[in-house]
Amino acid sequence: MGKSQNIRVGLIGAGPRGTSVLERLLANWAATETAGRSLHIDVVDPYPAGPGHVWQPEQSRLYLMNTQSFYPTLIPEDPGLAPPLAGGSFEKWRAEQRSGDGSGLSAEERAELAALASRDFPSRALYGRYLRTTLEELLERVPAGVEIAFHRSSAVAARPLPDAAAGPA
């Protein structure tokens, strides 16, 4: 049996883990010989992709993460893996935002970043901004042959498509 030329994947959940899986799918696709092949990814989540339900950038800054700034990340930094297409760790993003001009950030985000040290606990809202920014950057670098469809709805069932229907719709 030969390899399918068209691959279709359903990704249920578009919060941090789903976004991380999406990044890995795209990074591995970009690092592999894919000429003549296509990848269609359906991402299903009723909440905004990237921050998902919990990490909304618009929420109160009083809700803090239970993890220090230096630890969390969407993007693995392992030389044995496919190189990331976008972004980096939250700590790297934090440092870049602090040294940059702050464009695209709200006044509240700039103020929090100015005071946030590596061992401090960032707000969920700020981590949500990182998630949103990283996803936006990733979507600007989608490799050739890949199509992504976001569905703002809940998944109630999942089943394999028949082989004839496995390609993009």
Side-chain angles (χ1 to χ4, degrees), residues 28-133:
N28 281 291
W29 185 265
T32 306
E33 176 55 48
T34 58
R37 298 172 63 200
S38 67
L39 172 62
H40 180 91
I41 305 170
D42 287 292
V43 182
V44 181
D45 196 319
Y47 298 99
H53 180 59
V54 173
W55 309 99
Q56 290 299 306
E58 296 78 21
Q59 70 183 288
S60 169
R61 297 201 173 275
L62 297 176
Y63 295 116
L64 300 181
M65 295 180 65
N66 62 0
T67 307
Q68 293 168 305
S69 180
F70 72 88
Y71 186 74
T73 188
L74 274 179
I75 311 299
E77 295 178 348
D78 183 337
L81 300 175
L85 290 185
S89 69
F90 177 74
E91 182 66 4
K92 179 181 173 186
W93 179 83
R94 181 190 71 80
E96 288 171 354
Q97 298 307 309
R98 285 176 60 135
S99 65
D101 64 3
S103 63
L105 298 175
S106 71
E108 293 84 8
E109 290 165 338
R110 288 192 300 275
E112 184 178 347
L113 281 164
L116 185 66
S118 184
R119 297 217 177 258
D120 291 338
F121 293 85
S123 70
R124 287 181 173 191
L126 187 63
Y127 192 67
R129 171 60 64 197
Y130 157 74
L131 296 170
R132 183 178 287 164
T133 302

